[in-house]
Amino acid sequence: MPKDYLLDATDWHRQPLAFQPRKATSYFGYGYQFWLYPGEKRRFALLGVYGQSVFVDPELKLVMVVTAVAKNANVGKESFATERDAVWRGIVAKYGSW
């Protein structure tokens, strides 16, 4: 996969305004199937319908993967998504800064 494609897909600064964080959704931005975190650091996630997910922080060289699944396809309405986010944020805070 070309490096420029990955940078285009995972850097919210390269997205049209409608796809930038807090525009595409109330929190995330969106680029080529990647959910883009707000903030100046390039962080992104791949989020599956039942909660399977991959979080990437290139600066920290950190990749976290969740293979477990939620009970329902609507993960955002379960504690699963909140708990997953807390774990990711805690690990990033331990080794860097959010």
Side-chain angles (χ1 to χ4, degrees), residues 6-97:
L6 287 175
L7 289 173
D8 284 345
T10 61
D11 184 349
W12 70 261
H13 295 92
R14 296 180 181 215
Q15 303 307 315
L17 182 62
F19 292 104
Q20 292 181 4
R22 297 192 172 95
K23 301 282 187 201
T25 73
S26 61
Y27 183 70
F28 287 108
Y30 192 71
Y32 310 163
Q33 303 293 317
F34 295 87
W35 293 100
L36 312 175
Y37 281 83
E40 289 308 307
K41 296 185 181 201
R42 188 168 63 98
R43 293 188 176 114
F44 56 92
L46 296 96
L47 303 174
V49 69
Y50 280 91
Q52 306 93 329
S53 47
V54 178
F55 170 87
V56 180
D57 184 323
E59 180 182 306
L60 293 177
K61 297 184 184 341
L62 177 65
V63 177
M64 295 181 276
V65 178
V66 175
T67 58
V69 298
K71 293 178 186 176
N72 302 300
N74 199 348
V75 173
K77 292 187 177 178
E78 294 185 25
S79 63
F80 182 92
T82 303
E83 292 164 359
R84 177 187 61 199
D85 188 59
V87 168
W88 288 354
R89 287 176 179 276
I91 292 171
V92 168
K94 170 80 174 164
Y95 297 103
S97 65

